[in-house]
Short mmCIF file of all heavy atoms in Angstrom, two decimals:
data_model
loop_
_atom_site.label_atom_id
_atom_site.label_comp_id
_atom_site.label_asym_id
_atom_site.label_seq_id
_atom_site.Cartn_x
_atom_site.Cartn_y
_atom_site.Cartn_z
N LYS A 2 85.07 -43.27 -66.37
CA LYS A 2 86.09 -43.45 -67.40
C LYS A 2 86.83 -42.15 -67.72
O LYS A 2 87.90 -42.17 -68.32
CB LYS A 2 85.47 -44.03 -68.68
CG LYS A 2 85.00 -45.47 -68.51
CD LYS A 2 84.49 -46.02 -69.84
CE LYS A 2 84.06 -47.47 -69.68
NZ LYS A 2 83.56 -48.05 -70.96
N SER A 3 86.24 -41.03 -67.31
CA SER A 3 86.86 -39.74 -67.61
C SER A 3 87.66 -39.19 -66.43
O SER A 3 88.13 -38.05 -66.47
CB SER A 3 85.80 -38.72 -68.03
OG SER A 3 84.91 -38.45 -66.95
N CYS A 4 87.80 -39.97 -65.38
CA CYS A 4 88.55 -39.51 -64.20
C CYS A 4 89.38 -40.65 -63.63
O CYS A 4 89.23 -41.81 -64.01
CB CYS A 4 87.61 -38.92 -63.14
SG CYS A 4 86.17 -39.93 -62.77
N VAL A 5 90.27 -40.31 -62.71
CA VAL A 5 91.12 -41.29 -62.04
C VAL A 5 90.95 -41.09 -60.54
O VAL A 5 91.31 -40.04 -60.00
CB VAL A 5 92.60 -41.14 -62.44
CG1 VAL A 5 93.45 -42.16 -61.69
CG2 VAL A 5 92.76 -41.29 -63.94
N ASN A 6 90.39 -42.08 -59.86
CA ASN A 6 90.08 -41.95 -58.44
C ASN A 6 91.34 -42.11 -57.59
O ASN A 6 91.91 -43.21 -57.48
CB ASN A 6 89.05 -43.00 -58.04
CG ASN A 6 88.41 -42.71 -56.69
OD1 ASN A 6 89.10 -42.35 -55.75
ND2 ASN A 6 87.10 -42.88 -56.61
N ALA A 7 91.78 -41.02 -56.99
CA ALA A 7 93.00 -41.06 -56.17
C ALA A 7 92.84 -41.96 -54.95
O ALA A 7 93.81 -42.59 -54.50
CB ALA A 7 93.37 -39.64 -55.73
N LEU A 8 91.62 -42.05 -54.43
CA LEU A 8 91.39 -42.92 -53.26
C LEU A 8 91.53 -44.39 -53.62
O LEU A 8 91.99 -45.20 -52.80
CB LEU A 8 90.02 -42.65 -52.66
CG LEU A 8 89.94 -41.56 -51.59
CD1 LEU A 8 88.51 -41.42 -51.07
CD2 LEU A 8 90.89 -41.84 -50.43
N HIS A 9 91.12 -44.76 -54.81
CA HIS A 9 91.29 -46.16 -55.23
C HIS A 9 92.76 -46.52 -55.32
O HIS A 9 93.17 -47.61 -54.91
CB HIS A 9 90.60 -46.38 -56.58
CG HIS A 9 89.11 -46.33 -56.50
ND1 HIS A 9 88.29 -46.54 -57.60
CD2 HIS A 9 88.28 -46.09 -55.46
CE1 HIS A 9 87.02 -46.43 -57.23
NE2 HIS A 9 86.99 -46.15 -55.94
N ILE A 10 93.55 -45.60 -55.85
CA ILE A 10 95.00 -45.85 -55.89
C ILE A 10 95.54 -45.93 -54.46
O ILE A 10 96.36 -46.79 -54.13
CB ILE A 10 95.72 -44.74 -56.67
CG1 ILE A 10 95.18 -44.66 -58.11
CG2 ILE A 10 97.23 -44.99 -56.69
CD1 ILE A 10 95.72 -43.47 -58.89
N ALA A 11 95.07 -45.01 -53.60
CA ALA A 11 95.51 -45.00 -52.21
C ALA A 11 95.19 -46.32 -51.51
O ALA A 11 95.99 -46.83 -50.71
CB ALA A 11 94.88 -43.83 -51.46
N ALA A 12 94.02 -46.88 -51.81
CA ALA A 12 93.63 -48.16 -51.20
C ALA A 12 94.60 -49.26 -51.58
O ALA A 12 94.97 -50.11 -50.75
CB ALA A 12 92.22 -48.52 -51.62
N THR A 13 95.05 -49.26 -52.84
CA THR A 13 96.02 -50.27 -53.27
C THR A 13 97.36 -50.05 -52.60
O THR A 13 98.05 -51.01 -52.21
CB THR A 13 96.17 -50.22 -54.81
OG1 THR A 13 94.90 -50.37 -55.42
CG2 THR A 13 97.09 -51.33 -55.29
N VAL A 14 97.75 -48.78 -52.45
CA VAL A 14 99.00 -48.47 -51.75
C VAL A 14 98.94 -48.96 -50.30
O VAL A 14 99.88 -49.61 -49.80
CB VAL A 14 99.29 -46.96 -51.79
CG1 VAL A 14 100.45 -46.61 -50.85
CG2 VAL A 14 99.62 -46.51 -53.20
N VAL A 15 97.84 -48.66 -49.62
CA VAL A 15 97.68 -49.10 -48.23
C VAL A 15 97.74 -50.62 -48.14
O VAL A 15 98.39 -51.19 -47.26
CB VAL A 15 96.35 -48.58 -47.65
CG1 VAL A 15 96.04 -49.27 -46.32
CG2 VAL A 15 96.41 -47.08 -47.47
N ASN A 16 97.07 -51.30 -49.06
CA ASN A 16 97.07 -52.75 -49.07
C ASN A 16 98.48 -53.30 -49.27
O ASN A 16 98.91 -54.26 -48.62
CB ASN A 16 96.15 -53.27 -50.18
CG ASN A 16 95.87 -54.75 -50.06
OD1 ASN A 16 95.53 -55.26 -49.00
ND2 ASN A 16 96.02 -55.45 -51.17
N THR A 17 99.24 -52.66 -50.17
CA THR A 17 100.61 -53.10 -50.42
C THR A 17 101.49 -52.93 -49.19
O THR A 17 102.28 -53.82 -48.83
CB THR A 17 101.20 -52.31 -51.61
OG1 THR A 17 100.41 -52.54 -52.77
CG2 THR A 17 102.64 -52.71 -51.88
N LEU A 18 101.37 -51.80 -48.54
CA LEU A 18 102.20 -51.52 -47.36
C LEU A 18 101.85 -52.43 -46.19
O LEU A 18 102.73 -52.95 -45.50
CB LEU A 18 102.05 -50.06 -46.94
CG LEU A 18 102.64 -49.01 -47.89
CD1 LEU A 18 102.32 -47.60 -47.38
CD2 LEU A 18 104.15 -49.17 -48.03
N THR A 19 100.56 -52.59 -45.94
CA THR A 19 100.14 -53.33 -44.74
C THR A 19 100.30 -54.84 -44.90
O THR A 19 100.35 -55.56 -43.91
CB THR A 19 98.69 -53.01 -44.37
OG1 THR A 19 97.84 -53.27 -45.49
CG2 THR A 19 98.56 -51.54 -43.97
N ARG A 20 100.38 -55.31 -46.13
CA ARG A 20 100.56 -56.75 -46.36
C ARG A 20 102.02 -57.15 -46.49
O ARG A 20 102.34 -58.34 -46.56
CB ARG A 20 99.80 -57.19 -47.61
CG ARG A 20 98.29 -57.19 -47.43
CD ARG A 20 97.61 -57.96 -48.54
NE ARG A 20 96.19 -58.13 -48.29
CZ ARG A 20 95.38 -58.89 -49.04
NH1 ARG A 20 95.87 -59.54 -50.09
NH2 ARG A 20 94.10 -58.99 -48.74
N TYR A 21 102.89 -56.16 -46.54
CA TYR A 21 104.30 -56.50 -46.69
C TYR A 21 104.81 -57.20 -45.44
O TYR A 21 104.52 -56.80 -44.30
CB TYR A 21 105.14 -55.24 -46.95
CG TYR A 21 106.59 -55.55 -47.20
CD1 TYR A 21 107.01 -56.01 -48.45
CD2 TYR A 21 107.54 -55.42 -46.18
CE1 TYR A 21 108.34 -56.31 -48.68
CE2 TYR A 21 108.87 -55.73 -46.40
CZ TYR A 21 109.27 -56.19 -47.66
OH TYR A 21 110.59 -56.51 -47.87
N ALA A 22 105.58 -58.26 -45.65
CA ALA A 22 106.11 -59.06 -44.53
C ALA A 22 107.44 -58.48 -44.06
O ALA A 22 108.50 -58.81 -44.59
CB ALA A 22 106.28 -60.51 -44.95
N PHE A 23 107.36 -57.57 -43.08
CA PHE A 23 108.58 -57.06 -42.46
C PHE A 23 109.17 -58.16 -41.57
O PHE A 23 108.61 -59.25 -41.45
CB PHE A 23 108.27 -55.83 -41.61
CG PHE A 23 107.81 -54.64 -42.40
CD1 PHE A 23 106.46 -54.33 -42.48
CD2 PHE A 23 108.72 -53.83 -43.05
CE1 PHE A 23 106.03 -53.24 -43.20
CE2 PHE A 23 108.30 -52.72 -43.77
CZ PHE A 23 106.94 -52.43 -43.85
N ASP A 24 110.30 -57.87 -40.95
CA ASP A 24 110.91 -58.85 -40.06
C ASP A 24 109.99 -59.14 -38.87
O ASP A 24 109.18 -58.31 -38.46
CB ASP A 24 112.25 -58.33 -39.56
CG ASP A 24 112.11 -57.09 -38.71
OD1 ASP A 24 111.92 -56.00 -39.29
OD2 ASP A 24 112.15 -57.20 -37.47
N GLU A 25 110.12 -60.32 -38.31
CA GLU A 25 109.31 -60.73 -37.17
C GLU A 25 109.99 -60.43 -35.84
O GLU A 25 109.47 -60.78 -34.78
CB GLU A 25 108.99 -62.22 -37.27
CG GLU A 25 108.13 -62.57 -38.49
CD GLU A 25 107.75 -64.03 -38.53
OE1 GLU A 25 108.23 -64.80 -37.65
OE2 GLU A 25 107.00 -64.42 -39.44
N GLY A 26 111.14 -59.77 -35.90
CA GLY A 26 111.83 -59.44 -34.67
C GLY A 26 112.78 -60.54 -34.24
O GLY A 26 113.10 -61.45 -34.99
N SER A 27 113.21 -60.44 -32.99
CA SER A 27 114.16 -61.39 -32.45
C SER A 27 113.90 -61.54 -30.96
O SER A 27 112.93 -60.99 -30.43
CB SER A 27 115.60 -60.90 -32.69
OG SER A 27 115.81 -59.67 -32.00
N ALA A 28 114.79 -62.25 -30.31
CA ALA A 28 114.65 -62.40 -28.85
C ALA A 28 114.79 -61.05 -28.15
O ALA A 28 114.27 -60.86 -27.05
CB ALA A 28 115.69 -63.38 -28.33
N ASP A 29 115.48 -60.12 -28.79
CA ASP A 29 115.73 -58.81 -28.19
C ASP A 29 114.72 -57.75 -28.60
O ASP A 29 114.48 -56.80 -27.85
CB ASP A 29 117.13 -58.32 -28.55
CG ASP A 29 118.23 -59.22 -28.00
OD1 ASP A 29 118.07 -59.68 -26.85
OD2 ASP A 29 119.20 -59.46 -28.71
N PHE A 30 114.14 -57.87 -29.80
CA PHE A 30 113.31 -56.80 -30.34
C PHE A 30 111.99 -57.34 -30.87
O PHE A 30 111.96 -58.39 -31.52
CB PHE A 30 114.02 -56.12 -31.51
CG PHE A 30 114.70 -54.83 -31.16
CD1 PHE A 30 116.07 -54.73 -31.19
CD2 PHE A 30 113.97 -53.71 -30.83
CE1 PHE A 30 116.71 -53.55 -30.88
CE2 PHE A 30 114.60 -52.51 -30.52
CZ PHE A 30 115.97 -52.43 -30.55
N PRO A 31 110.87 -56.60 -30.65
CA PRO A 31 109.64 -56.91 -31.38
C PRO A 31 109.88 -56.66 -32.87
O PRO A 31 110.78 -55.92 -33.25
CB PRO A 31 108.62 -55.91 -30.81
CG PRO A 31 109.21 -55.42 -29.54
CD PRO A 31 110.70 -55.49 -29.72
N GLY A 32 109.06 -57.27 -33.72
CA GLY A 32 109.21 -57.09 -35.15
C GLY A 32 108.78 -55.71 -35.62
O GLY A 32 108.16 -54.94 -34.88
N THR A 33 109.10 -55.41 -36.87
CA THR A 33 108.73 -54.14 -37.48
C THR A 33 107.25 -54.14 -37.83
O THR A 33 106.72 -55.13 -38.35
CB THR A 33 109.57 -53.90 -38.75
OG1 THR A 33 110.95 -53.82 -38.38
CG2 THR A 33 109.16 -52.63 -39.47
N SER A 34 106.57 -53.03 -37.56
CA SER A 34 105.14 -52.93 -37.85
C SER A 34 104.82 -51.56 -38.43
O SER A 34 105.42 -50.56 -38.05
CB SER A 34 104.30 -53.16 -36.59
OG SER A 34 104.58 -52.17 -35.61
N LEU A 35 103.87 -51.54 -39.37
CA LEU A 35 103.43 -50.31 -40.01
C LEU A 35 101.94 -50.11 -39.75
O LEU A 35 101.15 -51.04 -39.90
CB LEU A 35 103.69 -50.37 -41.52
CG LEU A 35 103.31 -49.14 -42.35
CD1 LEU A 35 104.26 -48.98 -43.54
CD2 LEU A 35 101.86 -49.21 -42.86
N GLN A 36 101.59 -48.89 -39.35
CA GLN A 36 100.19 -48.55 -39.11
C GLN A 36 99.82 -47.29 -39.88
O GLN A 36 100.52 -46.28 -39.79
CB GLN A 36 99.93 -48.33 -37.62
CG GLN A 36 100.05 -49.58 -36.77
CD GLN A 36 98.99 -50.62 -37.09
OE1 GLN A 36 97.81 -50.29 -37.23
NE2 GLN A 36 99.42 -51.86 -37.22
#
């Protein structure tokens, strides 16, 4: 209660980024992906 865990915030950030639905691409291009 006396501290703020930066890794816990980072985990939420990672979850938000990796779950975002980018475009699926087209006949010409693969979709956008984040790693």
Side-chain angles (χ1 to χ4, degrees):
K2 291 184 178 181
S3 65
C4 48
V5 179
N6 195 316
L8 271 181
H9 290 182
I10 301 173
T13 305
V14 170
V15 168
N16 192 49
T17 300
L18 291 176
T19 56
R20 289 195 172 188
Y21 184 79
F23 294 100
D24 64 282
E25 296 183 356
S27 63
D29 297 320
F30 260 113
T33 298
S34 62
L35 181 148
Q36 293 294 315

